[in-house]
Amino acid sequence: MRPDGRQALELLARLGYGARGITYCLVGGLAVLAAVGVGGQTGGSRSALLILLGKPFGWILLGLIAFGLAAFALWRVVEAVTDADGYGRSAKGLATRAGHLVSGVIYGGLALSMAKAALGRGTAGSDDQGARDWTAWLLQQPFGQWLVGAVGLVVIGAGFAFARKAWRGDVTRRLSVPHDARDWARHLGRFGYAARALTFGLIGGFLIAAAIESRSSDVKGLGGALQALRAEPYGWVLLAVTAAGLAAFGVFGLVQARYRRIDPPDLDAARRAVKDITR
């Protein structure tokens, strides 16, 4: 890939991290407001982003975020296929790359649905409904309950990985943050990853429950996980803390957009390598 091509890919990656950060800021901020009873909502990414349509020039803002999310999806796929971050071919490295590939597919779907909404071609369904739809389809397949249960375990595994990252505190390892800002960036990232760990654990638990009961209605997405927290004793406190963590992860995403070390791969060399393998 020519130098200008690599620069373009790096720019797309940074736009992507920024768009993901804004999305989490909206999800977490709205949920914090709901927790303290001053409006807001406990929804997922789709419902949070659709709030923009009610604002002046909201369709433009939503369209820009949709473009950024599509850029993030592209970067995740490229990152996973070319191993741009150097995770390697160990079991852990391959699992991380597979997770990034799945992340790319998910964010690509979110980008597409948001782009359609921005263009006035229908509003996207809720995160919970989308999760229930694909779970219902999966349950109808051979060994469907086992497949849904396996997905639930994978999601819980991702939650444990986020929790480990929050506990170890190495969230700034790939950031070139100024020295005087490194501490607050690390605390921000750890808080954000801890909140993601909790929500992923809940979502995975709902999937396993759906597999056991063979009932897709038990499945919940991010919005459903936040609502489940709110239903617990002192739920508004749990919701407020978790939502603040998600908002913190959103701000951390903006930090990543600016300071993350991104080494775009030479896609021409990668393409030649794939051709050599498939000959």
Side-chain angles (χ1 to χ4, degrees):
M1 181 185 287
R2 295 175 298 179
D4 57 342
R6 299 183 75 164
Q7 290 173 0
L9 187 55
E10 179 181 351
L11 177 60
L12 287 174
R14 295 194 185 282
L15 288 173
Y17 279 109
R20 185 180 69 163
I22 291 172
T23 301
Y24 269 94
C25 284
L26 286 172
V27 171
L30 289 170
V32 167
L33 293 177
V36 299
V38 291
Q41 65 177 29
T42 52
S45 301
R46 285 176 169 80
S47 58
L49 289 172
L50 288 175
I51 291 289
L52 295 175
L53 288 178
K55 307 300 179 183
F57 304 103
W59 66 276
I60 297 178
L61 294 174
L62 185 60
L64 290 174
I65 292 175
F67 177 79
L69 292 173
F72 186 70
L74 173 64
W75 169 246
R76 276 304 205 209
V77 173
V78 170
E79 181 186 35
V81 172
T82 65
D83 194 20
D85 277 337
Y87 289 107
R89 293 180 174 273
S90 65
K92 180 182 177 181
L94 290 174
T96 300
R97 291 167 64 184
H100 287 180
L101 186 61
V102 172
S103 172
V105 173
I106 292 172
Y107 277 102
L110 178 60
L112 179 60
S113 63
M114 291 301 103
K116 289 181 178 179
L119 294 173
R121 297 181 180 177
T123 56
S126 69
D127 298 76
D128 285 1
Q129 188 57 52
R132 288 169 186 152
D133 288 343
W134 71 257
T135 303
W137 176 83
L138 199 58
L139 284 171
Q140 294 173 0
Q141 308 309 308
F143 306 103
Q145 288 178 267
W146 290 98
L147 292 173
V148 172
V151 173
L153 289 175
V154 169
V155 173
I156 291 175
F160 274 114
F162 292 147
R164 183 172 180 268
K165 199 165 188 175
W167 178 260
R168 287 168 58 91
D170 60 350
V171 295
T172 59
R173 184 165 57 93
R174 297 183 184 275
L175 299 182
S176 298
V177 182
H179 183 73
D180 58 349
R182 184 167 294 273
D183 283 344
W184 71 260
R186 182 171 62 252
H187 294 319
L188 196 70
R190 294 179 72 176
F191 187 24
Y193 274 106
R196 291 192 81 197
L198 176 58
T199 55
F200 268 62
L202 289 171
I203 293 169
F206 292 134
L207 281 165
I208 291 176
I212 293 173
E213 299 295 333
S214 190
R215 190 168 56 205
S216 62
S217 60
D218 289 340
V219 175
K220 293 178 174 60
L222 177 55
L226 293 175
Q227 291 167 12
L229 286 174
R230 192 176 191 178
E232 295 297 317
Y234 298 100
W236 72 272
V237 177
L238 291 173
L239 175 60
V241 173
T242 303
L246 294 176
F249 184 77
V251 177
F252 185 73
L254 299 179
V255 174
Q256 288 178 305
R258 173 63 179 86
Y259 293 109
R260 195 183 196 278
R261 289 189 293 273
I262 296 174
D263 185 19
D266 186 337
L267 294 186
D268 291 335
R271 192 179 300 113
R272 288 193 297 269
V274 171
K275 287 182 179 179
D276 292 339
I277 293 172
T278 56
R279 281 178 181 174

